[in-house]
């Protein structure tokens, strides 16, 4: 049977429960989070369990060596955590120039930045968790040790990466990637059992030492030794000096709701800026003029985001200015009846996992985790299962660029968790992963929810568009033809794309403020699953 072929449209209903809910892109990870809820864990414990399990059951998009961000609604208050790691202390433009480099490579030891994901698990557990980290990480350890069958979307992404890496990752430092992510030295197939005992032992060490093994102990030593051997920049000193940052989330008001994101260095502000611009439009359901205005608002927001967003302390424009009423009005006034041609930028593809959790007490978590581009740098530390991210690829060597490479600097970050409130009460977590699609996905999910009053599953199922730079717009193959034609007449360079995976993968949990009932939607474009209690 062909597990990748589905000739007929399928339908998912919104999932409803009241004692607990976990929504993510992989069924085994969702179930792991639910198991922790049933053992007395809260939404934070469930989020950590799901995130750790995702490093095992969806390694094509995230890993122990990646970054993470979280928005946490706990006891009627919203908290933010930025666990993105900085560049190494020893890296600089001069150091790269001495190696004959005029840009940062996509793979290898150079684009590796400090991994923040394990620190996020520890910080969340210590501040908000009910259960010990050893119990919370147990499901992930079990899947790594005993193995699991590779699911459909996971298998497709794994096979694509494996074939690509066979062609481009041919030097000795990449050997461990192939040893870790193969089965008996060959490409894994959908339905085959894959296991990683070394990954399990690493998770066990992180749990037992509350992260110290990774940032100060034996795992840090292994990372340091391997990267030194291969002329990398990341060192044990970089790991030891890292701490995740608790931050105040930022919001924009949109038609009675507050849309929350993590502040820069993340790109969540781009979605907020687009909403701030678009809210001045007259809303008409599935109208070409409206969708044109949505696209133009996103183009303007993204152009400004790429020009200004970096480490918050180094931004030349204050975030309050970018989210101000005056900014939204000014930018909306620039939208005409034809497509604009803003300053273009390159949009690479991304690999990320997103999850949302909720418990019976009203606590909720919006959590996102990534190795950046698929498996990341292609570097796996021997005998650990640690695949290191390539987040440093987003740095620029242009000294006038806001993301100019400097030591101990966090770059522009693509991964963004979202959260929605109304009248200072939680509506719930939402997110759409997928590189530079993420703020565009957030924008579309929020407008579908608030303007079109769609339920969470329908909001996720809506055909999506994505701005790719200049006037190029990609739309899903089932995007309505009358809208495609009308947008083309307005000057948009429209392209139908059959790979729905390029349009992000989202999850939503909304909570009824009166009854406490939870309503969840999951992504039909992947192996999405909602586990409920």
């Amino acid at each position: 049977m062909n597990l990748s072929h589905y000739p007929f449209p399928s339908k998912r209903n919104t999932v409803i429960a009241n004692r607990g809910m976990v929504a993510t892109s992989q069924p085994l990870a969702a179930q792991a989070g639910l198991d922790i809820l049933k053992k007395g864990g809260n939404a934070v414990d469930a989020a950590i369990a799901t995130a750790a399990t995702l490093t095992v059951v969806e390694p094509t998009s995230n890993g122990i060596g990646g970054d993470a961000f979280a928005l946490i609604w706990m006891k009627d208050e919203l908290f933010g955590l930025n666990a993105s790691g900085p560049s190494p202390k020893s890296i600089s433009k001069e150091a790269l120039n001495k190696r004959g480099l005029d840009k940062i490579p996509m793979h290898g030891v150079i684009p590796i930045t400090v991994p923040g994901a394990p620190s996020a698990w520890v910080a969340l557990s210590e501040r908000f968790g009910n259960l010990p980290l050893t119990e919370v990480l147990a499901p992930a350890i079990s899947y790594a040790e005993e193995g699991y069958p590779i699911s459909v979307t996971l298998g497709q992404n794994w096979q694509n990466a494996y074939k690509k890496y066979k062609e481009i990752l041919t030097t000795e430092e990449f050997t461990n990637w192939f040893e870790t992510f193969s089965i008996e030295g060959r490409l894994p197939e959908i339905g085959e059992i894959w296991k990683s005992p070394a990954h399990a032992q690493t998770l066990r060490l992180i749990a037992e030492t509350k992260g110290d093994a990774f940032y100060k102990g034996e795992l840090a030593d292994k990372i340091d030794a391997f990267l030194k051997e291969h002329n990398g920049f990341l060192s044990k000193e970089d790991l030891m000096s890292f701490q995740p940052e608790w931050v105040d989330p930022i919001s924009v008001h949109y038609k009675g709701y507050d849309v929350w994101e993590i502040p820069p260095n993340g790109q969540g502000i781009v979605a907020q800026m687009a909403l701030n611009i678009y809210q001045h439009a007259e809303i008409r359901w599935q109208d070409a003029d409206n969708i044109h205005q949505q696209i133009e608002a996103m183009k303007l927001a993204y152009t400004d985001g790429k020009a200004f967003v970096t480490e918050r302390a180094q931004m030349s424009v204050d975030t309050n200015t970018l989210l101000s009423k005056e900014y939204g009005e000014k930018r909306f006034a620039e939208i005409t009846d034809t497509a604009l041609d803003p300053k273009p930028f390159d949009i690479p593809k991304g690999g990320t996992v997103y999850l949302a959790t909720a418990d019976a007490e009203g606590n909720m978590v919006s959590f996102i985790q990534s190795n950046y581009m698929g498996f990341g740098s292609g570097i796996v530390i021997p005998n650990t299962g640690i695949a290191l991210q390539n987040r440093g690829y987003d740095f620029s060597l242009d000294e006038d660029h806001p993301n100019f490479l400097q030591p101990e600097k966090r770059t522009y970050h693509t991964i963004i968790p979202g959260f929605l409130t109304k009248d200072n009460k939680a509506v719930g977590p939402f997110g759409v992963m997928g590189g530079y699609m993420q703020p565009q996905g957030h924008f579309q999910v929020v407008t579908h929810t608030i303007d079109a009053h769609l339920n969470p599953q329908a909001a996720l199922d809506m055909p999506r568009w994505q701005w790719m730079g200049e006037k190029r717009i990609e739309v899903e193959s089932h995007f309505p033809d009358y809208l495609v034609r009308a947008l083309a007449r307005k000057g948009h360079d429209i392209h139908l794309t059959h790979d729905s995976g390029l349009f992000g993968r989202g999850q939503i949990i909304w909570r009824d403020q009166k009854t406490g009932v939870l309503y969840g939607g999951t992504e039909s474009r992947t192996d999405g699953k909602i586990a409920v209690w």
Side-chain angles (χ1 to χ4, degrees):
M1 59 182 171
N2 187 344
L3 294 173
S4 301
H5 180 54
Y6 296 88
F8 310 111
S10 60
K11 174 188 173 184
R12 297 187 188 216
N13 289 329
T14 292
V15 177
I16 304 173
N18 69 334
R19 298 185 67 182
M21 183 174 288
V22 181
T24 193
S25 52
Q26 226 287 341
L28 299 176
Q31 190 60 49
L34 185 66
D35 289 345
I36 291 299
L37 284 176
K38 290 184 173 182
K39 291 181 178 180
N42 60 20
V44 170
D45 295 312
I48 299 167
T50 305
T53 302
L54 282 165
T55 70
V56 180
V57 301
E58 198 175 325
T60 54
S61 301
N62 77 127
I64 299 172
D67 282 342
F69 294 82
L71 289 167
I72 308 98
W73 182 268
M74 180 67 65
K75 297 180 180 177
D76 298 324
E77 187 175 353
L78 189 64
F79 301 86
L81 181 66
N82 180 335
S84 63
S87 58
K89 296 177 181 180
S90 61
I91 201 169
S92 65
K93 177 182 178 180
E94 293 73 26
L96 295 185
N97 288 161
K98 286 180 180 177
R99 299 190 184 190
L101 297 171
D102 57 7
K103 64 179 181 179
I104 298 172
M106 184 181 297
H107 299 104
V109 297
I110 292 173
I112 296 170
T113 52
V114 175
S119 76
W121 307 341
V122 174
L124 289 167
S125 177
E126 291 186 340
R127 184 166 184 177
F128 296 119
N130 283 349
L131 301 178
L133 198 58
T134 49
E135 186 170 0
V136 171
L137 295 195
I141 293 169
S142 175
Y143 281 122
E145 213 155 44
E146 299 172 17
Y148 65 92
I150 295 174
S151 56
V152 176
T153 302
L154 169 65
Q156 292 168 344
N157 292 336
W158 202 319
Q159 291 167 11
N160 291 338
Y162 195 96
K163 293 172 184 176
K164 176 182 176 183
Y165 285 6
K166 272 288 188 183
E167 295 179 0
I168 64 174
L169 305 185
T170 57
T171 49
E172 191 269 338
E173 68 266 31
F174 299 111
T175 301
N176 296 298
W177 187 91
F178 291 99
E179 291 179 353
T180 301
F181 295 111
S182 65
I183 296 178
E184 298 177 351
R186 59 173 174 76
L187 174 67
E189 299 291 338
I190 294 171
E192 278 197 282
I193 305 295
W194 178 81
K195 62 181 68 174
S196 179
H199 195 132
Q201 179 59 15
T202 292
L203 289 171
R204 188 176 286 111
L205 286 169
I206 290 171
E208 291 174 349
T209 66
K210 297 183 178 178
D212 282 353
F214 189 91
Y215 292 99
K216 301 175 183 178
E218 63 179 275
L219 295 173
D221 289 334
K222 290 181 179 180
I223 294 170
D224 182 84
F226 184 82
L227 294 182
K228 278 183 179 175
E229 179 185 350
H230 295 282
N231 298 314
F233 290 96
L234 186 72
S235 69
K236 184 178 181 179
E237 183 183 358
D238 296 312
L239 295 169
M240 290 180 66
S241 61
F242 175 70
Q243 290 290 332
E245 180 186 8
W246 291 101
V247 297
D248 293 327
I250 56 175
S251 68
V252 68
H253 195 71
Y254 184 79
K255 302 182 180 179
Y257 293 81
D258 290 304
V259 183
W260 296 87
E261 303 275 358
I262 296 286
N265 55 314
Q267 65 174 346
I269 193 172
V270 171
Q272 294 171 316
M273 291 159 62
L275 289 166
N276 191 27
I277 296 168
Y278 178 66
Q279 67 180 324
H280 301 287
E282 182 181 345
I283 306 302
R284 295 179 298 276
W285 169 248
Q286 288 294 80
D287 175 79
D289 288 335
N290 240 186
I291 295 177
H292 164 74
Q293 290 170 327
Q294 291 178 1
I295 292 170
E296 296 303 291
M298 179 55 67
K299 288 160 67 173
L300 292 168
Y302 235 137
T303 300
D304 290 343
K306 291 295 287 185
F308 301 124
V309 171
T310 184
E311 281 271 31
R312 196 170 187 179
Q314 297 185 23
M315 286 177 60
S316 60
V317 178
D318 184 78
T319 55
N320 292 330
T321 299
L322 296 175
L323 297 178
S324 67
K325 180 181 178 182
E326 292 75 19
Y327 169 85
E329 290 175 343
K330 177 179 178 296
R331 286 306 237 170
F332 182 75
E334 297 174 28
I335 296 175
T336 66
D337 290 336
T338 57
L340 294 170
D341 189 9
K343 183 179 178 181
F345 58 93
D346 294 328
I347 302 180
K349 300 174 184 177
T352 305
V353 293
Y354 173 78
L355 64 98
T357 64
D359 62 31
E361 281 69 51
N363 305 310
M364 291 181 277
V365 179
S366 182
F367 189 100
I368 197 160
Q369 185 170 270
S370 177
N371 269 10
Y372 189 27
M373 306 176 81
F375 281 95
S377 64
I379 298 297
V380 176
I381 305 303
N383 304 312
T384 66
I386 299 172
L388 293 169
Q389 64 185 351
N390 62 335
R391 185 59 60 178
Y393 180 68
D394 256 1
F395 280 117
S396 170
L397 298 187
D398 178 356
E399 295 182 18
D400 295 325
H401 194 281
N403 283 293
F404 172 62
L405 175 65
Q406 292 175 304
E408 299 182 85
K409 179 179 179 179
R410 295 179 300 191
T411 187
Y412 181 106
H413 221 293
T414 56
I415 65 174
I416 52 174
F419 203 92
L420 197 64
T421 64
K422 184 176 177 62
D423 301 327
N424 298 316
K425 296 180 180 179
V427 177
F430 70 94
V432 179
M433 53 62 61
Y436 287 87
M437 177 64 198
Q438 291 181 61
Q440 305 190 58
H442 279 212
F443 174 86
Q444 291 174 64
V445 163
V446 169
T447 55
H448 296 335
T449 298
I450 296 175
D451 295 332
H453 309 289
L454 294 183
N455 66 61
Q457 189 59 56
L460 290 170
D461 288 343
M462 276 282 291
R464 293 178 191 157
W465 52 263
Q466 181 175 189
W467 179 51
M468 303 302 293
E470 298 180 327
K471 295 183 180 180
R472 183 182 175 96
I473 304 296
E474 293 191 354
V475 299
E476 293 189 275
S477 57
H478 58 294
F479 203 86
D481 182 66
Y482 77 93
L483 292 176
V484 170
R485 294 176 183 275
L487 291 170
R489 287 194 295 269
K490 290 181 177 294
H492 297 284
D493 181 19
I494 299 286
H495 295 262
L496 267 67
T497 303
H498 293 281
D499 184 358
S500 62
L502 299 177
F503 294 88
R505 298 179 291 170
Q507 315 292 332
I508 298 173
I509 298 176
W510 299 147
R511 184 175 188 268
D512 187 299
Q513 295 176 355
K514 294 180 180 179
T515 66
V517 171
L518 304 168
Y519 298 84
T522 190
E523 187 59 72
S524 58
R525 297 165 181 84
T526 188
D527 303 319
K529 169 72 174 180
I530 300 177
V532 295
W533 186 26

